[in-house]
Amino acid sequence: MSAALPEVSGSFGEKPTLTFPDAAPSGELEVLVLSRGDGELVEAGDDIEVHYLGQSWQGGVFDNSYDRRSSINFPIGVGAVIAGWDEGLVGQQVGSRVLLSIPSHLGYGDRGVPQAGIKGGDTLVFVVDVVGTKR
């Protein structure tokens, strides 16, 4: 049985909207490729370029790069970002749109990020467009 995941509207490169099910989030990392790209595979240690939208489970959007019209770059698979991103994005193909449902122990844990509106214990949901990768 698969976990209940939000529905995602929009396609690669467009700001997505999430519609949440009336169900509790999974306690495990859930990774769903919404559309598969045909570019290189993302490997641990790469610098990855992404557009993303982050939202708390059944809560509000706390961050997104689409409104800023600027993607972000960061090293992946080396602990520079939350564990759910490292685990969920390594192995994806450039050009893919990926849904990540990240339980708090792979996100910000019990402390959360109050200034961003993330409470301790929140499950985080991200839609990530993998724009590019550099070795």
Side-chain angles (χ1 to χ4, degrees), residues 7-126:
E7 287 185 31
V8 180
S9 71
S11 56
F12 187 91
E14 298 175 344
K15 181 180 175 182
T17 54
L18 301 174
T19 305
F20 286 85
D22 290 327
S26 171
E28 302 299 319
L29 174 65
E30 300 291 338
V31 180
L32 177 64
V33 177
L34 300 169
S35 62
R36 186 170 306 282
D38 57 6
E40 293 183 62
L41 286 181
V42 174
E43 296 179 12
D46 285 357
D47 278 338
I48 187 174
E49 179 184 354
V50 303
H51 266 295
Y52 68 94
L53 177 132
Q55 189 167 346
S56 304
W57 189 272
Q58 296 285 24
V61 173
F62 54 80
D63 194 14
N64 87 86
S65 65
Y66 300 94
D67 288 349
R68 291 190 298 272
R69 292 182 172 80
S70 179
S71 58
I72 63 165
N73 297 285
F74 52 87
I76 193 70
V78 295
V81 291
I82 60 174
W85 278 47
D86 277 346
E87 292 181 27
L89 295 178
V90 169
Q92 300 298 337
Q93 283 183 273
V94 171
S96 295
R97 173 166 272 201
V98 182
L99 175 71
L100 302 174
S101 178
I102 303 175
S104 67
H105 70 277
L106 296 175
Y108 294 105
D110 292 336
R111 73 183 184 282
V113 183
Q115 65 272 26
I118 301 170
K119 297 188 297 293
D122 273 358
T123 293
L124 307 177
V125 179
F126 289 92

